[in-house]
């Protein structure tokens, strides 16, 4: 055990969900919580068994005033997230009372945790490796179920495992080169020729690229696909928003640091996390027709990964519709032809042409028709319709991506060294660097393993 | 009878490969030095294979020479065969290896010690140290003599509580049936040193007259004259070959059947043996599928018929060893002269040492060589010279000398020992060096002569020659940067013959040299220099130009290392006061007491988070809060 003090923080993102959790971790976690907790039956948290949950109230010990109605989980070391004693106080009374609970914990002996400090403790206590620690941070921020899934898998060390396998391949190659150097007379092993080394390096490069290719999707899973709904006034943008939000647990957040009036909402469409931009704009401007102009759409589109363009089935294609099409040229988009309950006046041939291969969904959003088709189209677009749930390994962390990129560069250096006719033992320097960089992802760069590999792989000695 | 034997600056206990270098360095620096050894006839004895050098180790020998040590010169005088290894590979891993005339090697080294100014050679057995208030002040021998000194270096090799094991026989002994050193080992424990039990072994020796060499392959030395020392100018041309043969399935069958008689497997041997030097029974057990193992037959000298059977290290009973020999082509009728044996001995846990090789427990006491858990003559000698330098410097009130990992293989070796410790007898390997492209065989002088001269181990004359060489290299490099090679028929012809593609345009000579197929010789032919370019100069020019990109990359890494090395950790730091360190890291840091952040970061169990905590603590003098993001 590391002799840390006890830390506390609100461990659920502000404003997300109905329940907020104040988490305490450290030697005094149970004691501090016990000072604040009153159970109807009079039981004390200090005396309850580990990994149990208890109903009661948080009471200010000084004033005796009831602050919040809570469920409190008590988990004692070592089988906890941080490997320390952990108490989680589940509150539901909103921002103000959660903050009061936290403040009481702080007043009664806990220290406010630094960002990521719970994870850091877990890491420092050997509970998780570096990539798992980062996955935990992602987990904390995960916005949708699908993202949760990826984060969970990473936590279970799937990325660690893949990286581990890749590193082992490199390690064996390195050991092979080393044995040629340190035991030049050893006859039982094939000389590692540049050609052989090139094959290995190319394989490694391919594997790194494969991991990197998942990076974009991973990032999207973590941050959500920046999505903009555009369309002329009164085509049904608001209905679309409501349909998506209603079906999919919308979360409204006020993103700090951005313009006050930009409101984003997260919705989870069949596992695809959509971050809907400027929904406030849509909600406001449905009434104020003049305010939604082409200009505003243009501004929103700058930030978008993905566009939902809404058209009115009941009206002919207007000049403004054409301008909107022009603005989203080349972008990922789905065209929604709304109001199919009303007679068609829309030139569908023209729409198909303008859609340029992008999916078109017809719907009557007001009557909840076509929503399934729309959701399917979104999922298909994102997952290519092929990815199976539960078998995803995404690199979703920018530090990992950077390290992978560096490792790829190192392997490229090795390859160009081979092409320039450099001796194998020099080329090996770059390959070794790739091995170390990959090691940084999982927090393992211990050198000794090369020597261990050398003696495990070859029968050496005099 | 207790009596006062004399007062010295430095006392060296032991005169093996570490002791000889320590004593010579100390005496040459100007410290009045006493060497006490168990047996004057065993100075610089090679109890194991009769060879010096090889990958990494050979570079250590060059480094010892560049620092003004003796090993290189001594082997240059006494080798029976010399080979450059890894010539087909890059310059970083080339290494010289010599087969030694064992007897001659000892005799020459003894002569050198005997004739060294400031050095007294004495046969005797040190049983205790004189330690007062944690400071070593001298030694006491078996005969009751008290010798006093300002610094003491222990280089007792495998003699500490040594035990030889052959089959089910086990007896107290130093290597080759010499008397062991038991009381000193006990005394070190008394002083509070943590000791570990290590094991190593040797193969049998046979009589050359009884070997049928026709069944073996010859392994001759290089024809090109080579030397370890930068000062050697005469070469031994009359070389003796080694011979290669193999074990057979029959050999392996006998081993399998008699494994229960091996003390390795009966549980009799408790010490940890080295993985890189396994016994033949180990090899057969661990790599059962391998149909045969190499056996090198190495003559032990010119004046003896004894042949060292390299590859057959074993502690099986003597009669089984005889049976094994009969199964090996060429050795069917070989007469066994000495049986192979395993030896167990005490070593001190090397994390108890500072990077100067002074012990943390007892001031002014240094240890070097196999006592520190290493194996190999070169590793011993490399530590010996550094311990000798530091002991003499302590006695004379001079600075401490520590080689960095980017300076020398010796730096890698000592840093590994004092920072990481070792679970088995430690051997240097090229893969242990992060900057091996910088730590080459060819540039040991460029790396270390300056230091050797500053310490006083390199003569004025040699230093001037070194400076001249350095300048010549720079001049020639500069010239090749300016000379333009034009696509003349002559140039194109040379390029064509070398297998390269012809020039389209003029090109700087240095750029042409960078092409893989071009050598300095080609360039010299096409654009000769006005001055005569020595072979060693040409070699440097070629390597430095050809591999410039890689060298630069390594140098950048060294820059980063130096930054970390410059972040010193005060000796009196209180790790308990640093909040947030993982318990394991805290323990390791308290044990190793690293002198810099660089050293701290190499301790296993100290992870990057601990280092950042330590860094912030050091820099801001307050508790670190490290965010994971």
């Amino acid at each position: 055990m590391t002799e840390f003090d006890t830390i506390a923080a609100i461990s659920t993102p502000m404003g997300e969900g109905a329940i907020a959790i104040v988490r305490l971790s450290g030697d005094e976690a149970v004691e501090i919580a016990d000072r604040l907790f009153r159970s109807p039956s009079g039981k004390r948290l200090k005396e309850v068994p580990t990994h149990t949950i208890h109903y009661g109230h948080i009471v200010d010990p000084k004033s005796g005033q009831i602050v919040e109605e809570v469920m409190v989980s008590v988990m004692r070391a070592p089988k906890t997230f941080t490997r320390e004693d952990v108490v989680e106080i589940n509150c539901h009374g909103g921002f103000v009372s959660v903050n009061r609970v936290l403040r009481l914990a702080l007043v009664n002996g806990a220290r406010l945790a630094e960002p990521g400090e719970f994870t850091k403790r877990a890491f420092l206590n050997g509970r998780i490796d570096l990539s798992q620690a980062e996955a935990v941070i992602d987990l904390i921020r995960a916005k949708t179920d699908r993202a949760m899934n990826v984060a969970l898998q990473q936590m279970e060390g799937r990325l660690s495992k893949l990286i581990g396998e890749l590193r082992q391949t490199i390690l064996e190659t390195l050991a092979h080169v080393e044995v040629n150097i340190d035991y030049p007379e050893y006859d039982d092993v094939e000389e590692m020729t540049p050609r052989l080394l090139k094959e290995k390096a190319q394989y490694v490069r391919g594997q790194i690229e494969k991991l990197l290719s998942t990076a974009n999707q991973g990032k999207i899973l973590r941050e959500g696909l920046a999505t903009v709904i555009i369309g002329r006034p009164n085509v049904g943008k608001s209905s679309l928003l409501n349909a998506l939000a209603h079906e999919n647990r919308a979360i409204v957040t006020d993103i700090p640091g951005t313009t006050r009036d930009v409101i984003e909402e997260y919705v989870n469409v069949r596992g695809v996390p959509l971050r809907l931009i400027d929904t406030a704009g849509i909600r406001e401007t449905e009434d104020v027709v003049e305010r939604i102009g082409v200009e505003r759409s243009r501004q929103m589109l700058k930030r978008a990964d993905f566009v939902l363009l809404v058209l009115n089935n009941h009206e002919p294609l207007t000049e403004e519709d054409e301008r909107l099409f022009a603005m989203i040229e080349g972008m990922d988009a789905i065209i929604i032809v709304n109001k199919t309950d009303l007679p068609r006046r829309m030139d569908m041939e023209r729409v198909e042409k303008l859609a340029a291969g992008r999916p078109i969904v017809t719907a009557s959003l007001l009557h909840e028709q076509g929503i399934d088709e729309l959701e399917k189209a979104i999922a298909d677009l994102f997952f290519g319709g092929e990815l199976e749930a539960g078998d995803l390994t995404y690199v979703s962390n920018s530090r990992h991506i950077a390290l992978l990129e560096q490792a790829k560069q190192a392997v490229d250096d090795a390859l160009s060294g081979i092409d320039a006719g450099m001796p194998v033992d020099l080329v090996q320097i770059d390959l070794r660097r790739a091995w170390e960089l990959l090691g940084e992802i999982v927090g393992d760069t211990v050198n000794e393993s090369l020597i261990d590999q050398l003696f495990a792989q070859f029968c050496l000695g005099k | 009878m207790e009596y006062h034997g004399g007062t010295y600056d430095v006392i060296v206990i032991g005169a093996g490969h570490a002791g000889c270098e320590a004593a010579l360095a100390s005496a040459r620096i100007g410290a009045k030095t006493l060497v006490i050894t168990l047996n004057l006839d065993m100075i610089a004895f090679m109890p194991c294979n009769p060879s010096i050098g090889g990958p990494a180790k050979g570079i250590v020998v060059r480094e010892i020479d560049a620092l003004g040590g003796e090993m290189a010169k001594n082997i240059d005088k006494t080798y029976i065969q010399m080979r450059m290894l890894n010539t087909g590979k890059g310059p970083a891993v080339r290494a010289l290896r010599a087969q030694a005339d064992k007897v001659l090697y000892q005799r020459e080294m003894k002569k050198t010690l005997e004739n060294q100014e400031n050095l007294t050679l004495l046969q005797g057995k040190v049983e205790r140290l004189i330690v007062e208030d944690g400071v070593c002040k001298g030694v006491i021998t078996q005969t009751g003599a008290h010798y006093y000194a300002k610094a003491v270096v222990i280089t007792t090799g495998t003699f500490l509580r040594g035990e030889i094991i052959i089959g089910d026989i086990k007896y107290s002994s130093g290597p080759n049936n010499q008397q062991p050193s038991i009381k000193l080992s006990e005394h070190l424990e008394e002083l509070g040193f943590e000791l570990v039990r290590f094991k190593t072994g040797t193969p049998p020796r046979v009589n050359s007259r009884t070997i049928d060499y026709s069944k073996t392959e010859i392994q001759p030395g290089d024809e090109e004259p080579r030397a370890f020392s930068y000062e050697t100018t005469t070469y031994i041309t009359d070389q003796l070959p080694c011979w290669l043969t193999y074990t057979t399935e029959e050999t392996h069958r006998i081993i399998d059947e008699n494994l229960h008689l091996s003390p390795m497997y009966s549980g009799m041997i408790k010490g940890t043996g080295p993985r890189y030097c396994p016994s033949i029974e180990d090899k057969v057990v661990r790599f059962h599928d391998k149909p045969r193992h190499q056996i090198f037959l190495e003559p032990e000298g010119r004046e003896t018929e004894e042949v060292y059977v390299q590859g057959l290290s074993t502690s099986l009973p003597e009669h089984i060893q005889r049976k094994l020999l009969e199964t090996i082509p060429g050795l069917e009728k070989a007469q066994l002269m000495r049986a192979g044996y395993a030896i167990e001995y005490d070593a001190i846990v090397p994390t108890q040492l500072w990077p100067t090789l002074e012990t943390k427990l007892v001031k002014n006491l240094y240890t070097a060589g196999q006592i520190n858990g290493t194996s190999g003559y070169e590793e011993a000698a490399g530590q010996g010279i550094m311990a000798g330098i530091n002991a003499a410097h302590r006695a004379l009130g001079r600075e401490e000398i520590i080689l960095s990992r980017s300076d020398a293989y010796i730096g890698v070796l000592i840093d590994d020992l004092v920072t990481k410790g070792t679970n088995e007898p430690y051997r240097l390997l090229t893969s242990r060096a992060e900057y091996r492209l910088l730590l080459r065989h060819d540039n040991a002088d460029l790396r270390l002569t300056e230091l050797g001269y500053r310490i006083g181990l390199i003569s004025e004359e040699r230093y001037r020659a070194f400076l001249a060489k350095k300048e010549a290299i720079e001049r020639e490099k500069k010239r090749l940067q300016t000379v333009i090679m034009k696509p003349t028929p002559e140039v194109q012809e040379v390029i064509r013959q070398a297998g390269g593609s012809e020039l389209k345009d003029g090109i700087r000579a240095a750029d042409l040299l960078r092409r893989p197929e071009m050598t300095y010789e080609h360039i010299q032919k096409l654009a000769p220099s006005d001055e005569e370019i020595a072979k060693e100069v040409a070699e440097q020019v070629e390597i430095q130009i050809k591999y410039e990109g890689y060298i630069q990359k390594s140098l950048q890494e060294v820059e980063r290392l130096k930054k970390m090395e410059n972040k010193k950790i005060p000796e009196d730091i209180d790790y308990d006061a640093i909040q947030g360190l993982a318990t394991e890291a805290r323990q390791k840091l308290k044990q190793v007491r690293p002198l810099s952040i660089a050293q701290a970061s190499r301790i296993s169990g100290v992870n990057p988070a601990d280092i950042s905590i330590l860094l912030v603590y050091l820099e801001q003098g307050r508790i670190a809060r490290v965010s994971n993001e």
Side-chain angles (χ1 to χ4, degrees):
Chain A
M1 268 307 289
T2 314
E3 52 273 36
F4 283 121
D5 49 2
T6 297
I7 52 172
I10 297 171
S11 65
T12 37
M14 286 294 172
E16 284 197 25
I19 290 176
I21 298 172
V22 174
R23 181 191 277 165
L24 293 100
S25 177
D27 288 349
E28 285 184 75
V30 182
E31 177 122 359
I32 293 169
D34 191 58
R35 278 176 221 154
L36 312 176
F37 182 73
R38 294 288 174 276
S39 155
S41 64
K43 68 181 163 191
R44 309 298 307 263
L45 291 179
K46 277 193 286 191
E47 285 148 20
V48 303
T50 186
H51 293 80
T52 52
I53 188 156
H54 309 276
Y55 170 79
H57 291 91
I58 293 295
V59 176
D60 183 339
K62 263 193 191 151
S63 64
Q65 192 193 0
I66 291 179
V67 173
E68 173 71 299
E69 189 185 17
V70 292
M71 298 292 288
V72 179
S73 317
V74 174
M75 293 160 279
R76 291 197 172 81
K79 282 188 180 168
T80 70
F81 176 69
T82 55
R83 283 201 179 166
E84 300 175 329
D85 287 351
V86 170
V87 173
E88 288 184 352
I89 305 171
N90 297 262
C91 318
H92 55 75
F95 184 73
V96 176
S97 59
V98 171
N99 259 314
R100 280 189 69 186
V101 171
L102 174 64
R103 221 177 55 234
L104 281 177
L106 299 180
V107 168
N108 281 277
R111 170 171 67 77
L112 184 64
E114 301 278 334
E117 195 173 3
F118 288 99
T119 307
K120 195 181 87 192
R121 287 197 171 189
F123 177 58
L124 285 175
N125 286 321
R127 166 75 169 70
I128 48 181
D129 74 20
L130 207 55
S131 82
Q132 286 173 315
E134 282 162 9
V136 170
I137 290 166
D138 286 355
L139 182 71
I140 294 163
R141 295 180 186 153
K143 299 298 182 193
T144 73
D145 297 341
R146 174 77 75 161
M148 196 90 81
N149 191 15
V150 170
L152 276 173
Q153 286 196 2
Q154 205 174 52
M155 219 166 111
E156 282 158 16
R158 199 172 144 75
L159 178 67
S160 301
K161 192 166 157 270
L162 284 176
I163 298 268
E165 283 164 7
L166 190 53
R167 291 185 84 224
Q168 181 60 24
T169 306
I170 302 177
L171 194 63
E172 281 167 20
T173 310
L174 294 177
H176 197 147
V177 175
E178 294 301 329
V179 76
N180 291 156
I181 293 167
D182 275 322
Y183 295 87
E185 283 152 337
Y186 180 62
D187 65 346
D188 200 36
V189 58
E190 184 180 2
E191 181 85 17
M192 178 57 86
T193 58
R195 199 174 51 81
L196 215 54
L197 193 63
K198 190 171 178 172
E199 271 173 34
K200 298 274 183 192
Q202 278 167 338
Y203 170 77
V204 169
R205 193 184 188 285
Q207 292 297 314
I208 294 175
E209 277 196 325
K210 232 190 226 170
L211 279 172
L212 272 174
S213 70
T214 68
N216 268 338
Q217 283 177 314
K219 185 162 174 270
I220 286 165
L221 279 183
R222 188 161 45 88
E223 293 176 0
L225 203 60
T227 306
V228 171
I229 301 175
I230 60 170
R232 289 185 295 111
N234 273 322
V235 291
K237 297 194 292 294
S238 186
S239 312
L240 174 60
L241 182 63
N242 288 336
L244 287 174
H246 176 72
E247 295 269 309
N248 301 296
R249 179 171 68 91
I251 302 158
V252 182
T253 43
D254 193 351
I255 305 293
T258 56
T259 331
R260 279 287 296 141
D261 68 342
V262 174
I263 300 289
E264 299 184 349
E265 298 183 32
Y266 289 87
V267 297
N268 176 1
V269 177
R270 299 194 179 184
V272 182
L274 300 186
R275 183 156 52 90
L276 299 168
I277 298 175
D278 196 24
T279 49
I282 293 173
R283 292 212 155 106
E284 287 168 25
T285 53
E286 278 298 321
D287 309 320
V288 194
V289 176
E290 287 77 19
R291 278 191 57 190
I292 182 128
V294 173
E295 198 39 49
R296 180 151 191 159
S297 300
R298 201 189 296 281
Q299 289 302 324
M300 293 191 315
L301 284 172
K302 275 187 190 164
R303 301 173 52 210
D305 296 322
F306 176 55
V307 181
L308 295 169
L309 170 58
V310 188
L311 302 172
N312 186 348
N313 182 55
H314 190 53
E315 290 170 8
L317 209 61
T318 67
E319 211 174 289
E320 204 176 348
D321 287 330
E322 298 252 8
R323 281 225 296 279
L324 290 172
F325 267 114
M327 279 194 285
I328 63 163
E329 204 185 313
M331 296 182 75
D332 279 328
I334 292 178
I335 318 302
I336 298 130
V337 181
N338 191 24
K339 305 192 185 183
T340 49
D341 51 315
L342 299 175
R344 170 163 295 167
R345 291 192 185 139
M346 176 65 67
D347 175 0
M348 287 306 282
E349 265 178 45
R350 179 71 187 146
V351 170
E352 256 170 59
K353 196 165 170 250
L354 289 167
R358 288 171 289 196
I360 300 166
V361 175
T362 53
S364 172
L365 293 168
L366 213 56
H367 298 89
E368 292 181 8
Q369 281 168 11
I371 294 169
D372 262 6
E373 288 78 358
L374 174 61
E375 291 190 350
K376 190 174 174 299
I378 292 171
D380 283 353
L381 198 71
F382 183 63
F383 293 114
E386 285 165 10
L387 287 176
E388 283 171 41
D391 187 32
L392 306 168
T393 301
Y394 293 135
V395 180
S396 62
N397 172 301
S398 54
R399 199 184 71 93
H400 292 170
I401 294 170
L403 284 166
L404 280 169
E405 291 285 3
Q406 287 174 40
K408 192 172 93 175
Q409 185 56 48
V411 177
D412 280 341
D413 289 349
L415 284 166
S416 55
I418 294 168
D419 289 338
M422 287 294 159
V424 166
D425 53 277
L426 289 186
V427 171
Q428 195 246 23
I429 293 174
D430 290 318
L431 211 52
R432 184 171 176 154
R433 174 111 188 95
W435 179 72
E436 286 167 358
L437 286 163
L438 292 175
E440 277 180 41
I441 295 178
V442 288
D444 169 28
T445 50
V446 184
N447 232 329
E448 202 62 22
S449 43
L450 175 56
I451 287 150
D452 292 338
Q453 181 65 33
L454 195 62
F455 294 114
Q457 200 170 332
F458 304 103
C459 174
L460 301 168
K462 49 192 181 179
Chain B
M1 179 55 206
E2 307 267 312
Y3 76 103
H4 179 78
T7 301
Y8 296 83
D9 289 324
V10 173
I11 295 171
V12 178
I13 308 168
H17 303 283
C20 288
E21 294 296 345
L24 286 169
S26 168
R28 284 166 179 169
I29 283 172
K32 193 180 162 199
T33 306
L34 171 70
V35 183
I36 306 177
T37 176
L38 282 171
N39 186 344
L40 280 176
D41 297 325
M42 302 304 271
I43 288 174
F45 178 63
M46 298 185 178
C48 204
N49 60 325
S51 88
I52 281 183
K57 290 157 159 286
I59 301 179
V60 169
V61 181
R62 297 277 278 180
E63 290 170 353
I64 291 168
D65 183 63
L67 287 169
E70 198 59 30
M71 184 173 246
K73 292 194 180 94
N74 206 59
I75 183 66
D76 282 351
K77 284 187 269 186
T78 58
Y79 64 90
I80 58 170
Q81 184 194 104
M82 194 80 97
R83 280 181 73 188
M84 184 67 91
L85 304 172
N86 287 336
T87 47
K89 304 192 178 80
V93 296
R94 275 168 220 156
L96 202 52
R97 192 182 58 204
Q99 296 301 132
D101 184 318
K102 259 168 92 155
V103 179
L104 216 53
Y105 188 89
Q106 284 180 259
R107 216 165 63 200
E108 282 300 322
M109 190 60 94
K110 187 179 179 214
K111 225 192 294 179
T112 304
L113 262 69
E114 285 167 346
N115 288 296
Q116 179 61 48
E117 210 55 35
N118 280 337
L119 196 149
T120 306
L121 207 48
L122 177 76
Q123 181 164 304
K125 189 174 193 174
V126 171
E127 293 192 332
R128 295 183 72 78
L129 304 171
I130 303 167
V131 178
E132 289 168 15
D133 301 326
V135 181
C136 187
K137 307 223 155 141
V139 305
I140 304 170
T141 65
Q142 191 181 25
T143 53
H146 291 230
Y147 297 96
Y148 291 88
K150 292 173 187 138
V152 172
V153 186
I154 309 179
T155 66
T156 47
T158 59
F159 283 76
L160 288 185
R161 240 177 333 216
E163 282 181 302
I164 281 183
I165 303 129
I166 309 173
D168 57 354
I169 303 165
K170 184 173 190 172
Y171 56 96
S172 185
S173 172
N176 199 33
N177 291 342
Q178 301 222 43
Q179 55 169 323
S181 184
I182 293 166
K183 289 209 170 143
L184 185 57
S185 197
E186 288 167 356
H187 181 59
L188 288 173
E189 268 180 338
E190 250 172 60
L191 287 171
F193 284 100
E194 189 189 340
L195 305 181
V196 281
R197 199 91 178 129
F198 278 168
K199 170 241 149 189
T200 183
T202 70
R205 271 73 153 178
V206 297
N207 191 313
S208 178
R209 287 190 304 106
T210 58
I211 296 174
D212 181 357
Y213 287 108
S214 67
K215 293 181 178 168
T216 66
E217 293 165 34
I218 190 162
Q219 303 263 300
D222 287 351
E223 283 187 17
E224 194 182 332
R226 300 188 192 277
F228 274 103
S229 174
Y230 286 92
E231 286 185 292
T232 297
T233 48
T234 55
Y235 304 92
I236 297 167
T237 48
D238 171 26
Q239 299 190 55
L240 299 181
C242 293
W243 307 84
L244 172 62
T245 181
Y246 295 91
T247 59
T248 59
E249 279 175 26
E250 186 62 10
T251 321
H252 299 182
R253 193 185 57 78
I254 292 174
I255 289 170
D256 271 342
E257 281 173 5
N258 293 287
L259 213 52
H260 61 286
L261 299 176
S262 165
M264 292 291 300
Y265 292 88
S266 69
M268 194 169 187
I269 290 183
K270 302 219 163 48
T272 312
R275 281 172 302 176
Y276 48 81
C277 185
S279 60
I280 186 68
E281 47 267 40
D282 253 355
K283 290 191 222 175
V284 169
V285 170
R286 286 188 53 220
F287 294 88
H288 208 269
D289 297 340
K290 211 179 154 180
R292 61 179 200 175
H293 296 275
Q294 289 166 313
I295 300 289
F296 291 94
L297 304 174
E298 305 178 356
E300 295 218 324
R302 291 177 198 277
E303 303 296 323
T304 174
E305 295 300 320
E306 255 187 283
V307 170
Y308 181 90
V309 186
Q310 202 227 86
L312 209 64
S313 175
T314 180
S315 53
L316 282 164
E318 194 174 279
H319 68 283
I320 307 292
Q321 294 189 25
R322 287 180 187 276
K323 276 197 196 167
L324 291 182
L325 290 173
E326 283 169 17
T327 64
I328 296 169
L331 299 182
E332 296 91 340
K333 297 202 168 69
Q335 259 173 27
L336 179 75
M337 289 180 73
R338 299 180 208 227
Y341 62 85
I343 183 165
E344 280 193 311
Y345 56 96
D346 286 348
I348 76 163
V349 172
T351 49
Q352 299 173 100
L353 304 174
W354 296 112
T356 54
L357 295 179
E358 185 185 13
T359 68
K360 290 169 184 167
L361 218 51
V362 180
K363 210 168 146 60
N364 296 350
L365 178 66
Y366 298 77
T367 59
Q370 244 166 324
I371 186 177
N372 288 346
T374 60
S375 90
Y377 314 139
E378 306 82 353
E379 285 90 340
Q383 292 171 70
I385 191 169
M386 295 314 295
I389 290 169
N390 279 307
H393 274 205
R394 173 61 55 81
L396 301 175
R398 295 186 193 160
E399 61 183 331
E400 296 185 331
I401 304 291
I402 297 168
L403 295 176
S404 154
R405 297 181 77 87
S406 56
D407 292 331
Y409 269 97
I410 299 174
V412 173
L413 162 71
I414 294 176
D415 182 68
D416 275 351
L417 287 176
V418 304
T419 308
K420 297 176 186 160
T422 180
N423 300 322
E424 63 181 329
Y426 177 101
R427 183 195 154 155
L428 260 183
L429 296 160
T430 58
S431 47
R432 296 198 198 263
E434 303 84 337
Y435 315 108
R436 72 177 174 210
L437 180 55
L438 304 178
L439 308 184
R440 303 189 307 269
H441 166 91
D442 59 83
N443 71 354
D445 59 337
L446 295 171
R447 290 185 273 129
L448 298 169
T449 308
E450 199 76 52
L451 177 64
Y453 174 70
R454 184 156 62 84
I455 295 169
L457 291 174
I458 294 291
S459 69
E460 197 63 46
E461 187 194 349
R462 180 169 171 186
Y463 184 58
R464 270 200 302 273
F466 163 73
L467 288 181
K469 174 185 171 184
K470 220 169 125 179
E471 280 157 22
I473 295 165
E474 290 312 312
R475 257 200 319 277
E476 182 61 359
K477 265 168 67 184
K478 211 166 165 192
R479 187 182 75 86
L480 296 189
Q481 293 291 354
T482 47
V483 169
I484 303 287
M485 312 289 279
K486 300 215 171 67
T488 61
E490 191 201 358
V491 169
Q492 303 288 40
E493 177 57 22
V494 168
I495 292 173
R496 219 175 13 249
Q497 274 184 10
S501 53
E502 294 187 0
L503 292 184
K504 291 189 184 74
D505 240 323
I507 178 174
R508 284 184 305 175
D511 290 332
L512 185 60
L513 180 56
R514 283 201 183 94
R515 292 187 172 191
E517 69 280 2
M518 300 304 285
T519 64
Y520 179 79
E521 234 173 287
H522 291 127
I523 306 292
Q524 208 177 16
K525 197 153 72 176
L526 296 169
S529 167
D530 296 337
E531 60 178 315
E532 197 183 321
I533 303 293
K535 214 175 73 182
E536 314 85 64
V537 172
E539 185 185 28
Q540 284 310 310
V541 169
E542 176 168 334
I543 290 171
Q544 290 182 22
I545 289 181
K546 255 185 147 30
Y547 305 108
E548 197 188 355
Y550 285 97
I551 291 173
Q552 281 308 326
K553 225 190 268 182
S554 288
L555 285 173
Q556 280 164 15
E557 278 174 42
V558 169
E559 274 310 302
R560 281 196 288 275
L561 172 76
K562 295 275 179 206
K563 271 186 204 146
M564 299 248 285
E565 276 178 349
N566 288 337
K567 290 204 192 303
K568 301 288 181 209
I569 302 176
E571 247 180 64
D572 59 355
I573 189 168
D574 179 7
Y575 288 108
D576 286 326
I578 306 176
Q579 211 184 3
L581 284 176
T583 307
E584 190 194 359
R586 191 189 307 277
Q587 278 168 356
K588 289 278 180 67
L589 287 166
K590 281 163 83 173
Q591 186 196 353
V592 175
R593 290 153 77 187
L595 298 179
S596 70
I597 286 289
Q599 195 190 349
S601 69
R602 291 189 290 267
I603 301 171
S604 62
V606 176
N607 62 37
D610 298 312
I611 291 298
S612 36
I613 288 170
L614 198 52
L615 268 173
V616 177
Y617 178 82
L618 285 176
E619 281 181 5
Q620 306 185 351
R622 65 173 180 82
I623 296 155
R625 290 197 173 97
V626 179
S627 167
N628 249 343
E629 293 160 73

